Amino acid sequence: MSTPRETILAALRARLSALPATALRGEVLPERVPADGLLILRDGEPGEPEVTLSPLAYHYQHRAEIEAVVQGADRDAVFDTLTVSIGAALAADRTLGGLCDWIEAEAPRVVDLPVEGAASLKAAVIPVLLHYSTADPLG
C-alpha cells in the first residue's frame, strides 16, 4: 500500500506523462533532450506539517519540483508551449482526482545552459505545491 505522498507524486507524474514532452521522475538529465522537451519530476520536501489533534492529522504543503528542459533553434517557443501545457494540465484537476486538497505551480526559474558542440538548453525549475493531509507522517 502506497503512502498518500507517493500516491500523489505518482499521479502528478502520470499527469505530466500525458503532455507531449517526455516525463521522468527522479532521473538524471539524459544526454539527449527530446524535440518536444523533457520534464523531470523531483519529489522535493514535504516541509514541516501543521498538526490538528482531534482527530490527529498532519497537513502538508509539500514542495515538489518539475525540471523543464528544451533544446534546439526554436527553444523559446517550445519552452513557452511546454510551460503553458504544464499549467493547463495542473489546472484541469487541482485535486489530482481527489488525492490531494490542492495543487498549484509557482513561476518558473529559467536559465539558459550552454552545451559544447550543440544547441544550448533552456531549462527551468517549476516549484509545485501539493496540499494534502495524512494521519501518519510516515504512512
Side-chain angles (χ1 to χ4, degrees):
M1 184 172 151
S2 295
T3 63
R5 174 185 60 252
E6 178 59 27
T7 304
I8 291 167
L9 289 168
L12 178 55
R13 183 184 181 273
R15 177 70 49 91
L16 296 174
S17 295
L19 300 176
T22 300
L24 305 172
R25 181 172 170 203
E27 299 289 333
V28 297
L29 184 65
E31 289 185 25
R32 295 187 181 269
V33 175
D36 289 330
L38 176 68
L39 301 173
I40 302 175
L41 175 62
R42 304 286 179 202
D43 291 359
E45 293 289 324
E48 196 65 33
E50 299 256 343
V51 180
T52 55
L53 299 175
S54 184
L56 181 61
Y58 298 86
H59 309 282
Y60 287 97
Q61 290 185 26
H62 186 131
R63 181 179 295 271
E65 293 181 335
I66 300 169
E67 293 177 7
V69 183
V70 296
Q71 186 175 27
D74 200 23
R75 67 182 179 276
D76 292 330
V78 173
F79 181 81
D80 190 54
T81 300
L82 183 58
T83 55
V84 167
S85 67
I86 292 168
L90 298 180
D93 181 5
R94 295 278 185 186
T95 65
L96 294 175
L99 296 174
C100 64
D101 297 326
W102 189 256
I103 182 173
E104 62 184 300
E106 295 179 356
R109 297 185 307 258
V110 182
V111 63
D112 287 313
L113 303 170
V115 177
E116 189 174 325
S120 65
L121 299 173
K122 184 165 190 168
V125 172
I126 303 169
V128 177
L129 289 175
L130 305 162
H131 300 261
Y132 60 91
S133 299
T134 181
D136 182 350
L138 298 178

